[in-house]
Amino acid sequence: MKEYDCISYQKSGFFSKLIVDYLDEKENLKSLYHRSPKIENFRLQIEEKKQNFPKEYRAILVSSLENQYQKIETSEATKSNIQSLSDENTFTITTGHQLNLFTGPLYFLYKIVSVINLCKKLKQDYPTYNFVPIYWMATEDHDFEEINHFNFKGKKISWKKDSSGPVGRLSTDGLEAAFELFEKELGAGNNAAYLKDIFQKSYLEHTTLADATRYLANELFKAYGLVIVDGDRSELKKIFAPFVKKELLEQTSFHNVNKTNEVLKQYDIQVNPREINLFYIENDLRERIVFENNEYKINNTELRFSDEELLSILEKSPEKFSPNVILRPLYQEVILPNLCYIGGGGEIAYWLELQSNFEENKITFPILLLRNSVLLVTQKQLDKVEKLNLSVSDLFTNQQVLVNNKTAEYSNLTLDFSAQKEFLKQQFVALYEIASQTDKSFIGAVKAQEVKQIKGLENLEKRLLKAEKRIHIDTLERILQLQNELFPNQSLQERKSNFSEFYLEIGNELIEKLIEELHPLKNHFSLITL
């Protein structure tokens, strides 16, 4: 592997201290997860989940999925995976994502490729078992502003619409305008025609955002047997109803997660639990359930219920109860025979708050794996990287630091005055010795002179660096231009760009390359040449 092929997540500078410590398996975090993401640990995970996942849940899951897939063309690989979930030797690997317009940022693809490739790896190592890649659609989220747009070649394609209630139930009305804008930007060619067609069929020929997203994800990944799950289903919520009841009556997650957050207080806490971590949902309503004055109240509404009334609704209409970010992982692990959750840094951070709540509810905590991260580069960009003699770590370096480092590298002069400053400090040691033998006011004068001269050297150091930058300005500007191409707004490409920008250039080879080159159990940032 060439030097530019990868950089560790820990050294990339784009992950929090908590995630870096998790990847490094720091001792202080080991109580917060069940098993680390190593291939040998999956055997114990399989055995434990097999014992703890009821067979009757499998039949309900398969029936629900068959119902969800009724209206879309399903590949034989996906059909086979759905049917295999009836078998007690079949397990899932899961990722989840919001219903971003046209997949949103690039890492939507990386999450799904990670679960597909981990399933392949597990099948190689544990051939007597079956492993099904799952994409869990976040259909019950409500933050429309986060998902109503995507970026294409630096332009924002947005869906203008008023929104309330769970986003999965949103009507796709109004997406014609977004399609027209996208169509104009795409231009001509076979790949452009495919992108227009898949956008149109996803969003203009389906009535809800959940149906549109299922169609789109299925079209992109059906060849690899991806199974897409919508948890906003009455039959699946019915399985989860006992845990909802416990949450309502005992507020278990609030107490457990708060205890865990004490362990995590040296880090930035990702999410804080509420007393009740449930929403009450209808088509145009998604509001928190709160307990006040001995009754349950639906926030920002006039709805109020006694214990008996709310539990009666739960029994008859479990689909009206929606877990928030704290409880959604528990819901997922209750209804799926899941071994591992694959997510981004922020997701893994909040999962690390949850194990004690899983233990309280007697549900197996999944292995947590950081998704693959990728930097896509064209051959032309890669040629520039090599011509400019840049390393992969250079590309990930803060721009100011990068410019300073490269200026020092190109210069024939020593731009670091550390030796001169150290020599100066040694001269003042002798002056302090003299000052200690006379009036104390002289010590202050010596100190002031030392500070002044050190400051003078630092200013000279800065002026020399600035002068050398002017000499090498052309090369430095080419470096910054290249870095800005690869890191839009000095952020990760995968968090800003949409897959369509790259699909337009190389078509389905984009997904094929990701499937071929990404290795989910290796903690490095991959550079993939298009």
Side-chain angles (χ1 to χ4, degrees):
M1 180 176 283
K2 292 183 180 179
E3 193 276 337
Y4 56 73
D5 284 336
C6 63
I7 182 173
S8 74
Y9 294 146
Q10 293 94 319
K11 292 181 179 178
S12 71
F14 282 96
F15 292 92
S16 68
K17 184 178 187 301
L18 175 59
I19 296 304
V20 169
D21 286 355
Y22 175 68
L23 294 174
D24 289 338
E25 297 188 49
K26 290 291 180 68
E27 195 65 34
N28 63 310
L29 294 179
K30 288 187 176 180
S31 65
L32 303 184
Y33 57 92
H34 195 33
R35 296 184 176 98
S36 59
K38 296 177 180 176
I39 196 67
E40 61 269 21
N41 287 340
F42 279 88
R43 182 175 299 281
L44 290 173
Q45 195 76 12
I46 289 168
E47 292 171 358
E48 184 177 337
K49 191 67 179 184
K50 189 173 184 179
Q51 292 297 318
N52 295 341
F53 192 74
K55 188 167 179 60
E56 57 268 27
Y57 288 9
R58 290 181 178 275
I60 296 169
L61 177 62
V62 169
S63 175
S64 180
L65 287 170
E66 287 175 339
N67 186 268
Q68 292 180 38
Y69 270 84
Q70 273 186 346
K71 296 181 181 179
I72 62 173
E73 182 181 337
T74 312
S75 69
E76 289 304 315
T78 296
K79 286 179 183 176
S80 176
N81 276 341
I82 291 173
Q83 289 303 315
S84 76
L85 288 166
S86 298
D87 187 340
E88 63 178 9
N89 286 328
T90 297
F91 300 91
T92 61
I93 304 298
T94 302
T95 192
H97 197 64
Q98 296 171 298
L99 307 190
N100 293 76
L101 185 60
F102 213 47
T103 77
L106 263 169
Y107 66 77
F108 173 87
L109 268 64
Y110 306 157
K111 282 182 164 185
I112 293 177
V113 171
S114 295
V115 296
I116 290 169
N117 283 349
L118 182 55
C119 286
K120 287 183 179 180
K121 173 62 177 169
L122 288 169
K123 186 63 177 176
Q124 291 172 0
D125 286 67
Y126 302 101
T128 59
Y129 297 99
N130 303 310
F131 304 95
V132 176
I134 298 286
Y135 161 45
W136 179 288
M137 296 195 296
T139 54
E140 296 175 58
D141 283 2
H142 76 292
D143 198 338
F144 183 66
E145 296 303 315
E146 286 188 3
I147 68 168
N148 70 344
H149 62 276
F150 67 96
N151 294 313
F152 181 75
K153 294 189 174 181
K155 294 188 177 181
K156 189 174 182 179
I157 312 289
S158 296
W159 178 16
K160 310 295 185 183
K161 184 182 180 72
D162 292 328
S163 168
S164 60
V167 294
R169 302 183 189 184
L170 272 178
S171 165
T172 52
D173 290 346
L175 274 165
E176 294 84 1
F179 173 67
E180 289 173 8
L181 179 57
F182 184 45
E183 189 177 30
K184 288 178 184 176
E185 295 295 333
L186 278 169
N190 290 337
N191 293 338
Y194 173 79
L195 289 169
K196 293 173 191 175
D197 183 63
I198 195 173
F199 189 104
Q200 185 167 17
K201 287 180 176 175
S202 298
Y203 294 102
L204 306 188
E205 297 179 16
H206 290 87
T207 56
T208 69
L209 187 56
D211 288 344
T213 305
R214 183 189 295 108
Y215 177 87
L216 175 59
N218 180 67
E219 282 300 303
L220 293 175
F221 291 103
K222 63 185 178 183
Y224 305 99
L226 181 69
V227 174
I228 301 157
V229 176
D230 180 358
D232 188 12
R233 312 288 294 194
S234 179
E235 66 275 13
L236 299 178
K237 292 282 183 71
K238 190 172 183 179
I239 297 175
F240 192 58
F243 301 89
V244 172
K245 181 178 179 180
K246 186 173 183 179
E247 177 72 8
L248 289 170
L249 298 180
E250 301 177 25
Q251 301 180 5
T252 49
S253 53
F254 177 72
H255 300 297
N256 288 312
V257 176
N258 273 332
K259 287 179 184 176
T260 299
N261 284 354
E262 280 297 306
V263 180
L264 286 167
K265 62 185 178 183
Q266 64 176 295
Y267 303 99
D268 291 330
I269 301 295
Q270 194 70 17
V271 293
N272 287 296
R274 297 188 181 275
E275 288 80 0
I276 296 175
N277 292 279
L278 293 164
F279 291 97
Y280 188 87
I281 62 172
E282 294 176 353
N283 284 343
D284 296 312
L285 175 70
R286 182 184 186 267
E287 290 289 349
R288 290 193 297 117
I289 301 173
V290 295
F291 188 69
E292 292 178 353
N293 301 320
N294 292 317
E295 64 178 359
Y296 293 94
K297 176 186 174 184
I298 309 307
N299 206 38
N300 296 319
T301 76
E302 297 300 317
L303 295 172
R304 286 173 170 75
F305 306 101
S306 66
D307 285 8
E308 293 79 9
E309 289 170 334
L310 196 59
L311 293 179
S312 177
I313 295 173
L314 175 61
E315 184 178 354
K316 295 174 184 175
S317 305
E319 69 278 3
K320 290 181 180 290
F321 296 81
S322 176
N324 74 353
V325 67
I326 292 289
L327 270 189
R328 189 208 59 77
L330 184 68
Y331 175 41
Q332 170 191 296
E333 298 301 313
V334 164
I335 67 172
L336 293 177
N338 196 50
L339 304 176
C340 174
Y341 184 77
I342 298 179
E347 291 174 282
I348 300 302
Y350 75 71
W351 274 85
L352 288 171
E353 300 178 36
L354 304 179
Q355 184 180 224
S356 61
N357 198 45
F358 274 72
E359 290 174 349
E360 173 73 24
N361 286 283
K362 297 181 173 55
I363 298 298
T364 300
F365 195 67
I367 291 172
L368 302 178
L369 178 63
L370 192 64
R371 66 167 172 80
N372 284 125
S373 281
V374 181
L375 181 62
L376 299 175
V377 296
T378 64
Q379 187 59 53
K380 185 177 180 181
Q381 289 169 331
L382 190 58
D383 291 342
K384 290 180 183 178
V385 169
E386 295 180 338
K387 186 175 181 180
L388 292 166
N389 198 28
L390 296 170
S391 68
V392 65
S393 60
D394 287 334
L395 295 175
F396 282 80
T397 301
N398 170 275
Q399 281 201 348
Q400 190 58 54
V401 174
L402 176 60
V403 167
N404 291 348
N405 289 347
K406 286 300 167 183
T407 303
E409 182 182 316
Y410 299 149
S411 177
N412 294 321
L413 305 173
T414 301
L415 305 184
D416 183 354
F417 284 7
S418 295
Q420 289 84 350
K421 284 183 274 189
E422 184 59 34
F423 178 78
L424 186 61
K425 287 177 182 178
Q426 291 303 317
Q427 304 308 303
F428 274 92
V429 168
L431 288 173
Y432 280 121
E433 180 63 28
I434 294 170
S436 67
Q437 299 175 35
T438 185
D439 187 271
K440 291 182 179 179
S441 63
F442 188 57
I443 295 177
V446 172
K447 180 65 178 176
Q449 190 61 220
E450 180 186 22
V451 169
K452 181 179 179 181
Q453 293 198 32
I454 292 292
K455 185 72 173 176
L457 278 176
E458 289 174 347
N459 287 335
L460 286 174
E461 194 175 44
K462 290 175 183 176
R463 291 185 67 176
L464 178 59
L465 177 63
K466 192 173 181 180
E468 287 295 291
K469 284 179 183 178
R470 285 196 292 269
I471 293 173
H472 302 286
I473 187 66
D474 290 343
T475 302
L476 294 172
E477 284 185 348
R478 289 201 301 273
I479 289 174
L480 292 183
Q481 181 181 7
L482 176 61
Q483 194 190 48
N484 287 333
E485 289 176 11
L486 297 174
F487 293 81
N489 298 322
Q490 298 182 43
S491 180
L492 288 177
Q493 175 195 74
E494 63 184 37
R495 296 177 185 170
K496 295 292 182 182
S497 301
N498 181 262
F499 86 97
S500 57
E501 185 173 329
F502 302 91
Y503 196 100
L504 186 64
E505 300 301 321
I506 64 171
N508 203 50
E509 187 183 343
L510 171 63
I511 293 175
E512 292 170 358
K513 271 182 173 286
L514 295 175
I515 294 287
E516 180 183 347
E517 297 192 33
L518 296 185
H519 304 281
L521 294 174
K522 293 185 178 179
N523 294 329
H524 65 240
F525 223 115
S526 299
L527 265 71
I528 294 181
T529 310
L530 302 178

